[in-house]
Amino acid sequence: MKKIKLMVVDDNEEFINNVKESYIGDENVEIIATAKDGLDAIGKIESFCPDVVILDIVMPEVDGFGVLANIDYSKMLKRPNFIMVSQLTGDNFINKAISLGASYYLVKPINIEMLKDRVKEFGGLSVPKRNTQLEERLIEQALKKSQRNLDEKLANIFITVGIPAHIKGYQFLREAIKMAIDSPEIINSITKKLYPSIANKFETSPSKVERAIRHAIEVAWNRGKIENLNNIFGIKIYTANDKPTNGEFIALLADKMLMEGA
């Protein structure tokens, strides 16, 4: 029986090693290549022509979407099946991956047996029927864990920059950043979409949401913890006299979370 040629693309070396270990002794699948950045991945995919590619989204050089969009399939005998893996949970990320040609999307942390089943499935081997209810529950658990991790990261940042948890702006700001992570384009419609969406969720008005977020940012600046924010990003972005707008602050933290695979 012909082996499935598998390639693993992820900037997390531990994840790559875990996948490699899971295939030790497997007679049906051969890992023919790995890559830790999107640019390297494109060249290797074109050269090695794998049957299946496990592909992360947030990576150096070129992200997973860029990999899907820039492969020259004319250099290959056939188009691989792509299984996207990411901590990004928004529907827009999943839809974009599928629209660019991905066959499947799994949310990290990943159940390795489920991943192996999908590799067999898209590699052309039959897979024993699995308990779909269990799979759905595992996916739900992964989503919840991902959300908890994001909430913890944001809480740590808010504490560091001096935004207290008891003020309304804390909750609104956290929700705004999460929305901007799921739908980055919403930052361009902050008054028409973002504020009204948060207001609807918390049963208040868009104007109160705007004022509460602005107050939360002012509290941080008045407490003189701007340097802590600069330390989070590793560069000097703001000074005491250079307070960001609501939109700038939300976009800045959303981008940071995305870069960290939130």
Side-chain angles (χ1 to χ4, degrees), residues 67-210:
V67 172
L68 291 174
N70 288 287
I71 294 172
D72 185 355
Y73 294 106
S74 67
K75 296 180 179 179
M76 307 174 65
L77 295 175
K78 67 174 184 177
R79 187 186 183 105
N81 283 294
F82 292 91
I83 300 175
M84 305 299 286
V85 293
S86 180
Q87 290 179 316
L88 303 177
T89 60
D91 287 344
N92 58 310
F93 294 114
I94 297 172
N95 292 335
K96 184 174 182 179
I98 299 302
S99 70
L100 287 170
S103 301
Y104 204 75
Y105 194 107
L106 283 172
V107 177
K108 290 181 178 180
I110 291 169
N111 177 278
I112 200 69
E113 292 305 317
M114 189 188 301
L115 175 61
K116 291 178 71 175
D117 277 357
R118 298 292 80 79
V119 169
K120 285 183 180 180
E121 177 183 348
F122 294 110
L125 296 180
S126 60
V127 180
K129 188 174 180 60
R130 297 184 67 89
N131 185 334
T132 56
Q133 288 184 337
L134 175 60
E135 289 196 0
E136 289 173 359
R137 189 158 66 248
L138 289 170
I139 291 172
E140 183 180 355
Q141 289 173 354
L143 286 169
K144 287 181 178 178
K145 183 174 181 180
S146 178
Q147 286 300 317
R148 285 198 302 272
N149 290 341
L150 176 57
D151 286 340
E152 289 174 3
K153 287 181 180 179
L154 290 176
N156 289 334
I157 289 176
F158 290 171
I159 291 170
T160 301
V161 301
I163 300 175
H166 68 271
I167 63 175
K168 278 288 185 183
Y170 180 101
Q171 291 180 313
F172 297 162
L173 186 56
R174 182 177 63 184
E175 189 67 23
I177 293 168
K178 290 164 74 171
M179 289 177 66
I181 291 171
D182 281 343
S183 303
E185 70 278 359
I186 202 170
I187 206 68
N188 298 319
S189 304
I190 192 167
T191 56
K192 292 183 178 180
K193 293 182 180 180
L194 190 142
Y195 291 154
S197 296
I198 296 173
N200 183 59
K201 180 174 181 176
F202 290 93
E203 298 182 346
T204 185
S205 68
S207 61
K208 287 182 179 179
V209 170
E210 186 276 331

Side-chain angles (χ1 to χ4, degrees), residues 3-4 6-8 13-31 34 54 83 85 106 110-120:
K3 283 189 175 184
I4 295 171
L6 175 64
M7 181 170 170
V8 186
E13 188 171 359
E14 182 180 356
F15 176 78
I16 291 178
N17 289 336
N18 287 341
V19 175
K20 283 182 176 179
E21 289 175 7
S22 74
Y23 280 108
I24 293 176
D26 194 304
E27 297 179 353
N28 298 314
V29 179
E30 177 187 5
I31 298 177
T34 63
I54 298 172
I83 300 175
V85 293
L106 283 172
I110 291 169
N111 177 278
I112 200 69
E113 292 305 317
M114 189 188 301
L115 175 61
K116 291 178 71 175
D117 277 357
R118 298 292 80 79
V119 169
K120 285 183 180 180

